[in-house]
Amino acid sequence: MSETPPERRPDQKPIQCVLVAAGKYHDIDYARLEVMKLLAEDDRIRVRVFEDYENLDAIKNADFLVSYTCDVQPSPAAQTTIQDFVNGGGRYFALHGTNAVLRFLESGLVDAPDEMPVFADTLGTRFLSHPPIIPFTVDNAQPDHPLVKGIPSFETTDEQYLVETRAELDVLLDTEYNGEDDISGFVHSDIKKSRHPVFYIRRMGEGAVLYLTMGHCRGHYDMEPVLDWWPEVDRSGWQQPIIYDLLRRGIGWSCEAAIAKF
């Protein structure tokens, strides 16, 4: 005689996630897989994966949104939908190049134009430029904050994102650009010595965005159409356990609002 299976506990309800993973100049396949593996560590998280931000119903019905994109611009309707989602209490974990628009100019420079203003305002920052992939230091700006508690300052080798701040940010980790490392390949090359966020919360309405700028990755074929072959496979910060710690903490933060409803 078979036993009656136990009923589902309230804390075993599904948590609906939308992951947008797409874009240029990055190994999206690698990043998508790594993020999916981390999401799968909590079997309550059910994930729908898209290559753009245009499935508006999926975003509206999600408990949280995650993105790893570069030069993927939401349509005006999608920008408004994402902003409304956050304002209404949604959690959005944005990764690396989500805030970047890139244009390779005939002059050889790379521009980062302000072409998605509503989205940038929601994210709280807009990418401007970065030095070459070289070591730099990341500092803990709020050692007692639960999201970064126990994380000391550390050195990483990644893209040191230099950004324009578009809103009030609760900066958890940051970095100092020394004003000397080469950013002459970008239109925005006049940035002086300054501090820039690496991991921050941007609160909006009833919800919030959590942004992690680390996490560059690039394979041999990811610079098309600018180049048809990139000689080295770049894994940058993905080679350090710290990024997986930050991602796990971010996913846990993303689930908090949904879990509170159980």
Side-chain angles (χ1 to χ4, degrees):
M1 185 175 179
S2 61
E3 296 182 2
T4 303
E7 294 185 1
R8 183 177 68 185
R9 300 191 312 269
D11 65 354
Q12 290 178 310
K13 292 180 181 178
I15 301 171
Q16 304 299 334
C17 170
V18 165
L19 169 62
V20 181
K24 301 175 182 175
Y25 320 124
H26 292 78
D27 189 344
I28 301 298
D29 290 341
Y30 178 84
R32 182 193 301 114
L33 178 59
E34 294 305 295
V35 173
M36 286 289 290
K37 286 190 292 188
L38 294 172
L39 291 168
E41 290 179 355
D42 186 334
D43 64 7
R44 296 172 297 181
I45 299 175
R46 316 311 299 155
V47 186
R48 297 184 68 187
V49 184
F50 301 99
E51 291 187 324
D52 56 38
Y53 297 94
E54 304 310 314
N55 194 318
L56 306 188
D57 286 339
I59 293 172
K60 290 176 183 177
N61 294 319
D63 291 309
F64 71 99
L65 172 64
V66 182
S67 63
Y68 186 104
T69 61
C70 178
D71 200 23
V72 177
Q73 297 185 48
S75 66
Q79 292 185 56
T80 300
T81 295
I82 294 167
Q83 190 169 84
D84 290 346
F85 169 78
V86 176
N87 265 320
R91 294 281 178 100
Y92 181 6
F93 191 14
L95 306 176
H96 194 49
T98 296
N99 64 356
V101 176
L102 300 177
R103 297 288 176 266
F104 285 76
L105 307 180
E106 291 185 1
S107 65
L109 296 178
V110 180
D111 194 12
D114 189 5
E115 293 183 356
M116 48 184 192
V118 174
F119 194 41
D121 291 346
T122 301
L123 296 171
T125 60
R126 175 171 73 96
F127 171 80
L128 297 177
S129 58
H130 64 73
I133 299 175
I134 54 177
F136 62 93
T137 299
V138 177
D139 294 311
N140 192 329
Q142 295 195 57
D144 293 328
H145 194 287
L147 272 170
V148 291
K149 193 175 183 67
I151 295 178
S153 297
F154 62 92
E155 186 174 273
T156 188
T157 301
D158 208 312
E159 289 180 338
Q160 186 183 34
Y161 263 30
L162 310 181
V163 301
E164 175 195 30
T165 299
R166 301 286 283 255
E168 183 177 348
L169 308 179
D170 189 5
V171 178
L172 308 174
L173 303 176
D174 66 357
T175 184
E176 182 175 85
Y177 171 59
N178 60 18
E180 299 176 357
D181 289 334
D182 185 20
I183 54 173
S184 61
F186 289 89
V187 169
H188 297 284
S189 60
D190 58 348
I191 300 172
K192 308 302 182 184
K193 183 177 180 179
S194 50
R195 300 201 71 85
H196 294 264
V198 172
F199 195 42
Y200 68 81
I201 298 171
R202 187 274 198 262
R203 294 181 175 85
M204 174 178 277
E206 299 299 315
V209 175
L210 178 65
Y211 204 119
L212 176 63
T213 66
M214 289 174 57
H216 178 70
C217 56
R218 176 170 46 196
H220 291 306
Y221 310 101
D222 296 317
M223 287 302 294
E224 295 179 341
V226 179
L227 297 170
D228 61 5
W229 176 260
W230 186 256
E232 296 182 358
V233 173
D234 299 325
R235 290 292 178 254
S236 303
W238 291 98
Q239 298 178 94
Q240 295 177 274
I242 184 65
I243 194 170
Y244 290 91
D245 185 10
L246 293 172
L247 288 167
R248 287 187 174 97
R249 293 179 188 221
I251 291 168
W253 172 91
S254 300
C255 293
E256 284 177 352
I259 292 171
K261 298 176 184 176
F262 288 169

